[in-house]
Amino acid sequence: MTEHTRILPLEMPEPTEREFFTDAAQAVARLIALYDRATGFLVAHFQEVLAGRQPDARYRAFYPEIRVTTTSHSQTDSRLSFGHVAIPGSYAATITQPRLFAAYLEHQIALLIRNHGVPIAIGESETPMPVHFAVANADLNVPQEGVLDFSLRDVFDVPDLRTVNDDIVNGVAQPMEDGTGHLAPFTAQRVDYSLARLSHYTATSAEHFQNFVLFTNYQFYVDEFEAFARRALADPALGYTSFVAPGNHIITRPEDALPHLPKMPQMPAYHLKREGQQGITLVNIGVGPSNAKTATDHIAVLRPHAWLMVGHCAGLRNSQRLGDFVLAHGYLREDHVLDDDLPVWVPIPALAEVQVALEEAVAEVTRLEGYELKRIMRTGTVATIDNRNWELRDHSGPVHRLSLSRAVALDMESATIAANGFRFRVPYGTLLCVSDKPLHGELKLPGMATDFYRTQVENHLLIGVRAMEKLREMPVERIHSRKLRSFSETAFL
């Protein structure tokens, strides 16, 4: 056997025994210790090979794991949509970046301990940690295959698509080989993959994302959000601590300058931060359902408490004016990007808590209520399509379908965001602003905007922010509706 074909011996950290905890904070501390141990081992050996040392072993470390075993059907609070397992058995989840997810993990673990009265086991999993993800926070770059004089996959583990998927949330994942069920909606590798993608697409680190996320398709809302953030930072009573822009640029005072990146990311994100991730994130996803799916696919692993679409749309009723609001109560899905994951025959229900928060926010900002509010806001079906220039095709088909659906507005993102919220069990909602009326001769052209329209657009972002603040005031258990949970669910949100 030649030197080039010899099999390298496997080198790993010394194995550890599982430890059992009845204190959630201590359990999370153990997760952090195991994660640091694994990443430290991989980073150290990766730095050695980057420095030119010829590898004399294959290096492997494992993600930490949470495991719980129940032997009886516990009588849990039936009002809770999470925090308990449905039937007796063993359940487990691999965990990554436990510092980032510390508050989330502590909350979920505490609920399991309380609802089932059993300890939680913390130990090493059998899932190898890819070196790409281990060095993500060590300011190291993984060279492309062929740059080094050996194959990286011969020395370290690399991402495995068998564990980077949405089988659990899509309801098609089978129990593990030993019969263990899934405790969380995402595997550690799936989370790590999305954390890397988030940084790439938004130019901000995952640590800055807040629990309440606004999506928009128009740059104006970014400008308004920054203006609101500066006013909020000037008022300590509001509780906001800093504002983060692409490039991870942070300001803490309203007068601080924010540099602009010479090259903006595909979907820039902005974060008005508050203690405990209770602030608001705004992501400008641009135009189209593909971007909407991409953004929500990755933000979902952060387990936000709500996301809302606040953007422009085409009004489909003659009675609407430019600048009127549309509160979606239903969705006509012709975006097609989620057809393989969530068939179009699956209904996407309106969530009462989100709908009420949005309607109350519109009333507060516009100072209209009751019947007067109907002058500027319609509720009904929003249609989402994947063809921005649908007006250029034969109208008979699309217009007939729109009429049958009773749609009041049309855009390219809202149904995608709502459907992915439904799929990922993230509370969702939509409030749009009418920017054109193509069926009635009011196309999106320069000079069409009226004073009413400009005022309403300025109010629109404030309404989205106020709705998020209302949702933030609710208990987490109330926000996460049972409507989003299927017959067989993971215990973790």
Side-chain angles (χ1 to χ4, degrees):
M1 183 178 292
T2 67
E3 180 69 20
H4 293 291
T5 60
R6 71 185 180 93
I7 299 176
L8 296 175
L10 186 61
E11 186 175 325
M12 300 182 293
E14 286 294 321
T16 62
E17 296 292 327
R18 287 179 186 161
E19 295 185 20
F20 292 85
F21 297 89
T22 56
D23 181 280
Q26 293 177 7
V28 172
R30 181 59 178 161
L31 286 169
I32 292 172
L34 290 174
Y35 179 79
D36 288 350
R37 179 173 178 263
T39 55
F41 174 85
L42 292 173
V43 167
H45 287 291
F46 184 70
Q47 288 176 318
E48 289 176 356
V49 300
L50 284 185
R53 174 187 165 188
Q54 189 67 24
D56 54 9
R58 177 175 176 81
Y59 305 107
R60 172 171 290 170
F62 299 93
Y63 284 109
E65 175 191 80
I66 299 174
R67 182 174 290 264
V68 62
T69 300
T70 64
T71 57
S72 64
H73 290 84
S74 301
Q75 294 298 315
T76 56
D77 188 341
S78 62
R79 295 170 297 179
L80 291 177
S81 66
F82 60 96
H84 52 82
V85 298
I87 58 176
S90 291
Y91 300 83
T94 51
I95 300 299
T96 188
Q97 300 212 29
R99 279 191 179 84
L100 176 65
F101 291 98
Y104 164 79
L105 291 169
E106 189 170 333
H107 183 217
Q108 304 303 304
I109 292 172
L111 285 174
L112 277 178
I113 294 171
R114 186 185 75 190
N115 288 330
H116 292 288
V118 296
I120 301 298
I122 304 296
E124 290 180 325
S125 72
E126 296 181 357
T127 301
M129 183 182 295
V131 68
H132 303 69
F133 300 147
V135 305
N137 293 325
D139 198 25
L140 294 172
N141 292 319
V142 179
Q144 296 290 326
E145 192 72 28
V147 174
L148 301 172
D149 57 2
F150 60 89
S151 175
L152 192 68
R153 65 182 62 235
D154 288 341
V155 181
F156 297 97
D157 290 292
V158 297
D160 183 354
L161 287 180
R162 290 174 298 177
T163 59
V164 184
N165 56 56
D166 286 326
D167 286 355
I168 301 174
V169 290
N170 284 349
V172 297
Q174 298 299 313
M176 302 174 204
E177 291 184 2
D178 62 357
T180 300
H182 299 285
L183 188 63
F186 300 105
T187 64
Q189 283 209 41
R190 169 67 170 84
V191 173
D192 269 334
Y193 172 78
S194 279
L195 296 181
R197 293 291 82 200
L198 272 182
S199 179
H200 170 74
Y201 284 120
T202 71
T204 55
S205 300
E207 66 189 73
H208 296 306
F209 276 79
Q210 303 296 288
N211 281 328
F212 299 89
V213 183
L214 294 172
F215 296 105
T216 189
N217 53 11
Y218 196 67
Q219 176 63 31
F220 179 87
Y221 293 91
V222 173
D223 301 334
E224 284 296 306
F225 190 57
E226 180 180 337
F228 173 82
R230 292 182 181 278
R231 295 195 300 271
L233 292 177
D235 186 356
L238 295 177
Y240 296 106
T241 58
S242 62
F243 181 68
V244 183
N248 294 314
H249 296 297
I250 304 172
I251 64 172
T252 58
R253 301 177 303 173
E255 66 272 17
D256 289 346
L258 271 175
H260 292 282
L261 295 182
K263 184 178 180 181
M264 291 296 284
Q266 184 174 343
M267 290 177 279
Y270 305 80
H271 315 276
L272 181 55
K273 300 181 71 172
R274 211 166 185 264
E275 182 101 19
Q277 309 298 113
Q278 295 301 294
I280 301 170
T281 288
L282 175 74
V283 184
N284 183 2
I285 57 175
V287 176
S290 180
N291 276 5
K293 180 182 184 297
T294 298
T296 48
D297 277 350
H298 300 313
I299 292 174
V301 305
L302 299 175
R303 309 316 293 146
H305 293 323
W307 61 39
L308 304 177
M309 177 65 192
V310 286
H312 286 182
C313 69
L316 299 178
R317 301 303 177 92
N318 193 45
S319 57
Q320 291 169 308
R321 293 181 295 171
L322 302 188
D324 277 352
F325 297 124
V326 175
L327 175 59
H329 277 192
Y331 300 91
L332 173 63
R333 296 173 52 201
E334 294 198 359
D335 50 322
H336 301 302
V337 293
L338 282 169
D339 289 1
D340 291 336
D341 296 308
L342 193 72
V344 293
W345 50 259
V346 175
I348 309 300
L351 304 180
E353 292 80 7
V354 177
Q355 299 299 100
V356 170
L358 280 167
E359 187 163 350
E360 288 180 351
V362 174
E364 288 183 15
V365 172
T366 63
R367 298 182 181 180
L368 297 173
E369 59 184 19
Y371 195 64
E372 287 301 308
L373 192 59
K374 292 181 179 292
R375 293 183 184 275
I376 63 164
M377 186 177 76
R378 294 286 297 266
T379 59
T381 296
V382 169
T384 293
I385 59 170
D386 58 1
N387 178 11
R388 176 59 190 87
N389 297 315
W390 65 276
E391 304 101 318
L392 302 182
R393 302 182 64 185
D394 175 23
H395 287 181
S396 57
V399 172
H400 181 62
R401 291 196 302 275
L402 292 172
S403 179
L404 286 177
S405 73
R406 309 301 193 265
V408 297
L410 180 144
D411 79 344
M412 297 188 68
E413 301 84 25
S414 292
T416 310
I417 288 170
N420 239 6
F422 181 86
R423 184 165 75 104
F424 290 127
R425 288 76 163 169
V426 176
Y428 52 84
T430 299
L431 184 74
L432 302 175
C433 186
V434 175
S435 62
D436 60 316
K437 294 169 57 182
L439 299 182
H440 307 95
E442 295 189 59
L443 303 181
K444 193 174 290 185
L445 298 172
M448 293 292 289
T450 63
D451 290 339
F452 171 73
Y453 171 75
R454 282 187 284 270
T455 299
Q456 290 299 83
V457 170
E458 291 173 1
N459 286 337
H460 195 187
L461 188 278
L462 297 179
I463 292 168
V465 169
R466 184 67 191 114
M468 287 303 202
E469 291 174 336
K470 287 178 172 292
L471 291 171
R472 185 176 65 213
E473 295 166 1
M474 298 180 187
V476 172
E477 291 77 11
R478 183 182 169 194
I479 299 174
H480 290 275
S481 171
R482 287 176 294 182
K483 291 179 182 178
L484 300 182
R485 312 293 277 179
S486 64
F487 295 163
S488 180
E489 278 291 340
T490 60
F492 283 14
L493 270 181

